[in-house]
Structure formats: structure tokens, C-alpha cells
Amino acid sequence: MVSLVKSGARPPQTQFDALLLWVLVALLSVGLVMVYSASIATAEASKFTGFNASYYLIRHGIFIALGILAGIAAFQVPLQIWQNLAMPLFVIGTVLLLLVLIPHVGREVNGSRRWLSLFVINLQPSELMKLFAVLYAADYTVRKAHVGHKFLQAFVPMFLVMGVVGALLLLEPDMGALGVITSIAICTLWLGGFNLKVFGLLLFALPTVFVVLVVSSPYRMQRVIGFLDPWSDPYGKGYQLSHALIAFGRGEWLGVGLGASVEKLFYLPEAHTDFLMAVIAEELGLVGVAAVLLLFMFVLIRAFQIGRQAAFLDRNYAALVAQGIGIWIGVQAMINIGVNMGVLPTKGLTLPFLSFGGSGILVNCVAAAVLLRVDYENRKAARGLPI
């Protein structure tokens, strides 16, 4: 450093956001610990796992390792290549959603057909589609920016495409993924400067569509009823939510202690996936929940800051991709935590970076790598270096 000062040279600048990287590592680490804590009793008592208490821990650790490797590979890909591949990847994602619905091809679990069996693991196309939707929506917005004020040319093509994807997701059914992908598409168009009057109409249209979807499906109606008053049927449609609320209540300020949850002992279904936050609340209390929320808030804020920096550098596609990833992670985390707290109806959405699930962890790591790549290219562009 002394020699640099004497020679008048500038010290080397950091090429990526190290703090963001450590926050992402922290989320993955918390997830690994809590998945083990939430699943140990279930795994130890299950014939499916061979009565191995570490079954889910080992698999989740493997998923994280594969996700990190996939993320390292994704980080090497320039944003220009992601933009060139946006359309083909979106088409591939749509085809995979279609394959899931074919009998004997898609795998059905708990009444939902959302997985493709790859023998070793199950692939969930809707998780891939979230990333593909970010890439495609950003590319579409950049391409249509010059006609953003025209409803027929700017909005209708996107609505038709998302309508096809939405129909396929509803047939699975996967309302949670539909909500996330719809949020990504609408918010990306809005951030891209499209006509604000149309978004005003959407504020009225979307609640109407939601009500129609709920009323037209007895399955969804039962979930909404159970959400409004879980204690009216605590052993039926309100079972999951009532036990999630009990877990939050038991946690109080500091929790009952890591590993000491009672609700994970066969009371709370899907404790290591959809309802992991309830176990965190019970074992780590309000402090633990607040810490997880702060980590997600940091990721969301940094995603929008990175996107803003890219926009200032006239890298519009990169800007929308970064902010789209922020929207995706923020909306999915909000829905999952809202479900766990009884603020939203039950949805089959995992907590990003934390919940058990191979497809989810893998895609989350790739998305994080793309976000870091945007920041990396921003830093090089700001210094006038080739990307």
C-alpha cells in the first residue's frame, strides 16, 4: 500500500459486492441449519429416509453445493448472452411446464403435478420459470420501450404470453408461482416506463381475477376460508396455519432454543419447506425472524441499487434483470412469511435460499450469481473497462 501511495497509483478496486455475497452465504447457512433442525424428527421416523436423521441435511447440503457450482458458472456468463438466450430459455420453460401436465411424465405429490422426475432428483419447472420470466420480461421491456405508451403493441403480447404460462401453472395447480411470475412481469414493465394508465387498470382487474380464481375452485376456496378463521377447523382446513401460529406464539422474543421446537415433531406439516419460518420463529423467536427479514431486506435493497447503477450507465437490460431478481426474491419471501404468519392464504411457496428443495436452491443461487454479475459489469463499465 505504501508503494502505491508513493507512486500515486490507485489501490485496486473491488470487482464485486463482497457484502452482498456474504449476506447470501448467511441466508444459505441459516437455511442449512434450520432445515436440519426442522426435519430431524421427521427423517428419523420415516421409512422413506431409511430412518436417517441427517437425510434432509445431507441432501440440502448437496443442493447448496450444486447451487454454488451452478452460480459460479452463471457468473461467468455476460449479461449480453443472457439477453440473447432470454427468448429460447422462456420457450424451454414453457415446454417444461407443459410436460409436467402429461400423465406418467409429470410427478404428482399431494394432489399437485409440479415435478419432472430425473431419477436422482425431481425438477420443478416453475422454479426455473421464475428466472426465465425475469430474463424474458427484461428483454421484452427493452425491445418494446419505443412503443411503451401503446396498449396493443406493448401490453397485449406480454399478457398473451403470460396468460399461457398462467394457464399451465393453474393446471398444476401452483397459484404461488403464478403470483410471483405475474409480479415479475408487471413490475418489470412498470420499471421500464410503460404507460401508467394501464397499470391503474390492472389495480382493478387483478383483484377481480383473483376472486374469480378462488370462487371457481373449491380447493382454493377452502384454503381462503381456513386462512380467514383457522381456529374454526383446527384439525381440518385450518390445521397448518393454526400450528404455524402456535409456533410463532411459543417463540416469543428469543425463542425456545435451537432444536427445541415442539411443532416440528409431527404437528406442523412441511416444516422444512413451506413452513420453515414458523420453526425459525419458535426456536429463535422475534430476534431470529427479524434477523432473517433484515437479510432479505438487504438483498432487495442492493438488487434495486445495482439496477439503478446499471440504468445510470445506460445498461437498461442489466438494470431490469437486477431489479427483476429483487422483485422475485422479495415477493416470494413476502408471500411465504405472510403465509406462515397467517397474513396470506396458504400457498405452496418456499422461502428463497432457506427452505429445503433442490430446484429452488439451484435457481436461487443462479439468480444470485446473475445479480452479482450485473454489479461486476457495472463496476467495470464505470471504470471504462471492457465487460
Side-chain angles (χ1 to χ4, degrees):
M1 179 62 73
V2 174
S3 60
L4 286 173
V5 173
K6 288 182 178 179
S7 63
R10 293 183 179 181
Q13 297 185 23
T14 306
Q15 293 190 343
F16 63 91
D17 192 333
L19 182 56
L20 175 58
L21 179 61
W22 281 113
V23 168
L24 293 168
V25 170
L27 284 170
L28 290 172
S29 302
V30 171
L32 184 64
V33 172
M34 294 311 303
V35 163
Y36 181 47
S37 178
S39 66
I40 185 170
T42 303
E44 195 172 30
S46 173
K47 186 177 180 180
F48 171 76
T49 64
F51 308 105
N52 180 4
S54 302
Y55 177 83
Y56 291 105
L57 170 66
I58 294 171
R59 287 180 68 86
H60 195 64
I62 293 173
F63 293 150
I64 290 176
L66 292 175
I68 291 173
L69 291 176
I72 292 173
F75 182 80
Q76 310 304 318
V77 181
L79 262 293
Q80 184 58 55
I81 294 180
W82 284 117
Q83 185 173 6
N84 295 339
L85 294 175
M87 178 71 78
L89 288 175
F90 190 81
V91 172
I92 291 172
T94 305
V95 172
L96 291 176
L97 290 178
L98 185 60
L99 289 176
V100 165
L101 302 174
I102 300 176
H104 309 298
V105 177
R107 185 167 180 264
E108 185 173 340
V109 179
N110 296 329
S112 297
R113 192 181 293 274
R114 302 177 184 175
W115 295 268
L116 292 173
S117 179
L118 301 181
F119 302 105
V120 179
I121 62 171
N122 292 319
L123 175 67
Q124 190 171 356
S126 59
E127 291 292 340
L128 292 174
M129 200 61 185
K130 294 169 188 173
L131 175 60
F132 298 162
V134 169
L135 300 174
Y136 174 75
D139 177 57
Y140 179 90
T141 303
V142 171
R143 286 189 287 107
K144 296 287 186 176
H146 62 288
V147 292
H149 60 287
K150 298 180 180 179
F151 177 78
L152 289 178
Q153 296 182 42
F155 287 91
V156 171
M158 176 63 86
F159 289 161
L160 292 176
V161 169
M162 288 301 169
V164 172
V165 172
L168 293 174
L169 289 171
L170 287 175
L171 289 172
E172 293 186 7
D174 194 346
M175 274 284 289
L178 175 59
V180 173
I181 291 173
T182 301
S183 299
I184 291 170
I186 292 175
C187 292
T188 301
L189 294 178
W190 180 67
L191 290 168
F194 279 33
N195 195 329
L196 294 178
K197 293 181 180 178
V198 177
F199 293 101
L201 295 174
L202 288 174
L203 293 177
F204 295 97
L206 288 178
T208 304
V209 172
F210 175 77
V211 171
V212 171
L213 290 174
V214 170
V215 173
S216 63
S217 171
Y219 164 76
R220 297 189 194 102
M221 180 63 77
Q222 290 300 315
R223 283 202 166 187
V224 171
I225 293 173
F227 150 71
L228 293 174
D229 187 8
W231 307 109
S232 64
D233 187 11
Y235 298 104
K237 55 181 176 287
Y239 184 79
Q240 284 181 307
L241 180 53
S242 61
H243 281 281
L245 293 175
I246 291 172
F248 270 87
R250 292 191 75 248
E252 297 185 353
W253 288 96
L254 300 176
V256 298
L258 184 62
S261 167
V262 171
E263 286 301 317
K264 70 184 182 185
L265 303 178
F266 313 106
Y267 293 104
L268 182 62
E270 310 296 340
H272 58 298
T273 55
D274 299 353
F275 284 89
L276 185 66
M277 181 56 82
V279 178
I280 293 174
E282 185 178 5
E283 295 189 349
L284 305 181
L286 178 63
V287 172
V289 172
V292 172
L293 289 175
L294 286 174
L295 290 175
F296 276 116
M297 188 180 301
F298 179 85
V299 173
L300 178 61
I301 292 172
R302 280 301 294 139
F304 273 84
Q305 287 177 338
I306 291 170
R308 186 167 177 264
Q309 291 163 0
F312 281 145
L313 294 168
D314 292 325
R315 304 180 62 244
N316 295 329
Y317 177 74
L320 292 174
V321 167
Q323 293 172 345
I325 291 173
I327 292 164
W328 163 19
I329 300 302
V331 169
Q332 184 164 332
M334 179 187 71
I335 292 175
N336 178 274
I337 296 170
V339 166
N340 277 248
M341 297 178 64
V343 179
L344 296 171
T346 304
K347 293 279 175 258
L349 273 180
T350 56
L351 192 58
F353 299 106
L354 275 79
S355 293
F356 177 82
S359 299
I361 288 294
L362 188 69
V363 177
N364 289 159
C365 289
V366 171
V370 173
L371 179 60
L372 288 167
R373 177 73 194 194
V374 175
D375 178 65
Y376 168 76
E377 292 188 5
N378 284 348
R379 293 169 188 247
K380 296 194 74 173
R383 295 161 60 189
L385 299 176
I387 297 174

